Amino acid sequence: MASALFFYLFAVLAVASGASVILTKNPVHAVLFLILAFFNAAGLFVLLQAEFLAMLLVIVYVGAVSVLFLFVVMMLDVDFAELKAGFIKNAKVGALIGGVVLVELIALFGYRGLALSPVMNPSAPIPANITNTRALGQILYTNYVYYFQGAGLILLVAMIGAIVLTLKHRQGVKRQSISAQVARGPATGLEVIKVPSGGSVIPPAVKHPEAAE
Amino acid sequence: MLDTLQTFMNDYGWNILALIGFSLLLLVVLLVIIAFLLLMDRKVWAAVQMRRGPNVVGPFGLLQSFADLLKFVLKEPIIPSGSDKVVFLLAPLATATCALASWAVIPVNENSWGKWVISDMNVGILYLLAISSLGVYGIVMGGWASNSKYPFMGALRSAAQMVSYEVSIGFVIISVLLCVGSLNVTDVVNAQKTGVGTTLGMTSSLLDWHWLPLFPMFVIFFISALAETNRPPFDLVEAESELVAGFMVEYSSTPYLLYMLGEYVSIVAMCAMTTILFLGGWLPPLDIWPLNAVPGLFWFLIKVVFVFFMFAMVKAMVPRYRYDQLMRLGWKVFLPLSLLMVVITAAVLQFGGFLS
């Protein structure tokens, strides 16, 4: 009974915050609602006894991906009037796509029926006397290790691509070289000048390599 | 209705009541300890700078934290008119809640009564990692909702900083988990009963704990924990010489108090995590008679206070990093180093067969 209670709590909150993501006008609020939706999805995973997936969802999506979303969205300067004008202009295309998805959903539920049981698809049986994290690891890293490596390679290619597209080496920028700073000793960093009593010494112009530019 | 209630109480009720009772006990004890740790932080800092530190309220200033609490609560909360009010007030709450939530899986002792932990879940370490990565939201939300320049810059800095150091913390945790073979926090501590020392034929002692075989990871974890909790020398989020007080500029009264509380609770949680991962949790330093008769809770507290003392000393002694140096340290030094150590640890465990 309690699990049904929590299922409906998480499900209702997930759907409501999902709807709020597209209904709120403020993009930062939309991202915050998205985070709430992720949390509720994690709660649903816990109810399915997939606690490893729940934690991964929180670590990866909430802890890293959404932070970057928020980071970008916070710096946007959104003009709501312009946004609304764009909404009216694109409404026809949006209505068409939405209509197609609606027809598909009707077809799906017409085929499958409208049963609203909390557990339509109970989780696969967990092997006895090992935790499901270990079971997941054994399947992923033994049976499917090549697919796993392949997915890793694809991600690596995407990452290198993003770096290649955005990396620019600007010329004429002062950069810190920690090893050069640490290697600097009394011989190169210090100069002892004898000052005659009563006189003065005008030090020779210090040569900075970057000052010449 | 009454029957349903009765079956519900029989099925879940007493467990829930016990859970609430234990959680309240943990929170009260934790907050009282943190009040004194905060005082210790200030006293250590003062001693390094040859000052007296807080010494007026109560004997030796012992009640200073409680006086501060009363002062913050009784002040007027000021909410800037240009701010996003809901998010502005939600942000400190999020910080404090996330920080306190991490204590749900931290075990403080294990004896014949069982495990002294609120929730003994089998992915406890992942839960700790997940919750500690949520700390950034309180700061980012607060910085954005203040609708002011300095808080916003603080929020941007924290978003980049905390995400960077989570990566190396994750790798450190992975290498510890490789040695343990379980994601359960209690198992991590119990795995430290045997190790280098027992392999050499000694009785269980502090040489068995993970700090010795994984010493580089211990150092990386300690420094990353400083960065993750925005402690000096990595407190660029609230650097007073550049950003006034960073994300906390617009906060006053109880919301400010919640920020401070959340910060210190997560610092102590990080100390507890260091204790559990590397310093043997509640295990005595030498498993012989007078030492192993002392309750494990005492050893746990001693170790947490020791790690907190190191945090305080670092705050007092090390100058603040510049932002590009911080990023360099995180991405160019710690990330390759911790990745390499994960590979080395895995190789040693696979082919070496010692260091279990």
Side-chain angles (χ1 to χ4, degrees):
Chain A
M1 193 187 104
S3 64
L5 192 76
F6 279 109
F7 169 77
Y8 284 113
L9 177 74
F10 288 137
V12 166
L13 274 175
V15 172
S17 50
S20 306
V21 172
I22 49 174
L23 291 178
T24 45
K25 288 179 179 163
N26 191 327
V28 173
H29 290 178
V31 176
L32 293 177
F33 275 119
L34 184 66
I35 294 163
L36 185 61
F38 282 144
F39 262 113
N40 288 299
L44 290 175
F45 273 131
V46 170
L47 286 186
L48 280 175
Q49 298 183 334
E51 68 276 350
F52 182 72
L53 278 184
M55 290 307 146
L56 273 199
L57 187 73
V58 175
I59 292 172
V60 174
Y61 282 94
V62 181
V65 175
S66 299
V67 174
L68 297 182
F69 270 0
L70 205 57
F71 189 81
V72 174
V73 165
M74 275 195 324
M75 290 195 281
L76 290 179
D77 186 18
V78 183
D79 185 354
F80 290 113
E82 201 179 317
L83 214 64
K84 273 185 186 152
F87 177 75
I88 292 163
K89 199 178 72 185
N90 296 328
K92 284 176 216 156
V93 185
L96 186 71
I97 295 172
V100 170
V101 173
L102 186 68
V103 169
E104 281 176 355
L105 279 178
I106 289 173
L108 175 72
F109 279 105
Y111 170 70
R112 212 189 62 175
L114 267 178
L116 270 180
S117 152
V119 184
M120 280 291 277
N121 227 341
S123 53
I126 298 164
N129 64 42
I130 56 173
T131 64
N132 66 23
T133 310
R134 187 178 284 263
L136 202 65
Q138 280 174 351
I139 291 172
L140 195 61
Y141 299 128
T142 52
N143 299 1
Y144 296 102
V145 65
Y146 294 114
Y147 298 101
F148 180 78
Q149 295 284 351
L153 270 183
I154 292 171
L155 284 175
L156 183 68
V157 168
M159 195 171 86
I160 292 175
I163 293 172
V164 167
L165 285 177
T166 53
L167 185 69
K168 266 186 256 171
H169 272 296
R170 283 185 295 164
Q171 299 297 319
V173 180
K174 279 192 215 169
R175 289 186 193 280
Q176 187 181 25
S177 166
I178 304 244
S179 51
Q181 286 179 346
V182 173
R184 192 165 172 266
T188 55
L190 195 73
E191 192 181 359
V192 181
I193 298 173
K194 274 251 187 296
V195 184
S197 63
S200 68
V201 167
I202 299 165
V206 185
K207 272 185 233 149
H208 283 297
E210 63 268 21
E213 289 173 15
Chain B
M1 182 64 210
L2 211 64
D3 283 353
T4 339
L5 193 69
Q6 198 156 22
T7 45
F8 180 78
M9 281 306 275
N10 283 337
D11 286 353
Y12 304 103
W14 307 118
N15 280 338
I16 289 176
L17 282 183
L19 203 63
I20 292 173
F22 284 128
S23 305
L24 279 178
L25 182 70
L26 177 80
L27 285 185
V28 169
V29 173
L30 177 69
L31 291 179
V32 170
I33 287 176
I34 280 174
F36 288 107
L37 280 179
L38 214 157
L39 181 77
M40 174 186 144
D41 192 26
R42 296 170 68 176
K43 281 282 193 188
V44 169
W45 203 9
V48 171
Q49 297 172 349
M50 293 204 252
R51 294 185 284 118
R52 281 170 184 271
N55 63 349
V56 176
V57 188
F60 310 108
L62 278 176
L63 301 176
Q64 181 66 41
S65 301
F66 300 97
D68 287 344
L69 169 86
L70 281 180
K71 187 185 127 180
F72 278 127
V73 170
L74 295 177
K75 288 252 175 175
E76 179 194 1
I78 296 167
I79 301 173
S81 58
S83 66
D84 188 322
K85 289 183 187 57
V86 177
V87 181
F88 186 80
L89 290 178
L90 208 58
L93 265 180
T95 305
T97 314
C98 287
L100 289 171
S102 64
W103 281 88
V105 295
I106 293 180
V108 293
N109 195 2
E110 186 182 24
N111 58 10
S112 52
W113 300 354
K115 297 170 176 176
W116 291 29
V117 56
I118 303 292
S119 167
D120 184 37
M121 57 162 97
N122 55 16
V123 289
I125 291 279
L126 282 181
Y127 175 86
L128 278 176
L129 193 62
I131 291 292
S132 78
S133 71
L134 296 182
V136 65
Y137 280 110
I139 295 173
V140 171
M141 280 159 70
W144 175 79
S146 299
N147 196 10
S148 165
K149 280 195 184 61
Y150 288 128
F152 187 64
M153 288 176 189
L156 292 185
R157 283 183 173 188
S158 82
Q161 173 181 339
M162 292 173 83
V163 169
S164 318
Y165 279 83
E166 253 154 46
V167 182
S168 51
I169 285 194
F171 279 122
V172 173
I173 288 177
I174 286 174
S175 68
V176 173
L177 292 183
L178 282 174
C179 298
V180 176
S182 165
L183 287 167
N184 186 307
V185 190
T186 316
D187 290 349
V188 174
V189 175
N190 284 333
Q192 298 180 52
K193 280 179 181 165
T194 55
V196 179
T198 45
T199 313
L200 295 175
M202 295 163 64
T203 165
S204 292
S205 67
L206 64 132
L207 294 178
D208 295 330
W209 304 342
H210 284 146
W211 67 269
L212 189 59
L214 297 173
F215 191 73
M217 298 310 251
F218 178 46
V219 176
I220 291 177
F221 186 84
F222 181 73
I223 299 174
S224 300
L226 290 173
E228 181 77 8
T229 50
N230 294 320
R231 277 287 281 193
F234 305 113
D235 61 338
L236 292 145
V237 176
E238 51 198 281
E240 70 269 9
S241 52
E242 306 152 22
L243 296 183
V244 193
F247 64 100
M248 292 199 283
V249 171
E250 306 287 348
Y251 281 91
S252 57
S253 179
T254 314
Y256 179 81
L257 172 77
L258 283 177
Y259 262 134
M260 288 300 284
L261 180 76
E263 200 175 311
Y264 272 88
V265 173
S266 57
I267 288 166
V268 180
M270 273 295 176
C271 294
M273 243 173 116
T274 317
T275 305
I276 286 167
L277 292 177
F278 294 102
L279 298 179
W282 55 83
L283 303 176
L286 198 59
D287 198 9
I288 50 171
W289 173 67
L291 293 179
N292 60 18
V294 176
L297 186 61
F298 172 77
W299 292 120
F300 184 81
L301 280 177
I302 285 280
K303 289 169 188 172
V304 168
V305 171
F306 169 68
V307 180
F308 189 85
F309 175 74
M310 293 208 293
F311 267 60
M313 286 302 278
V314 169
K315 177 183 178 178
M317 296 192 305
V318 184
R320 182 179 291 135
Y321 265 55
R322 215 171 54 205
Y323 196 69
D324 61 321
Q325 293 170 334
L326 175 87
M327 284 294 146
R328 176 184 173 274
L329 188 70
W331 288 106
K332 292 187 179 174
V333 180
F334 282 176
L335 182 62
L337 204 61
S338 53
L339 198 56
L340 184 72
M341 277 303 290
V342 169
V343 175
I344 291 176
T345 313
V348 167
L349 287 173
Q350 178 69 28
F351 302 112
F354 49 104
L355 299 185
S356 58

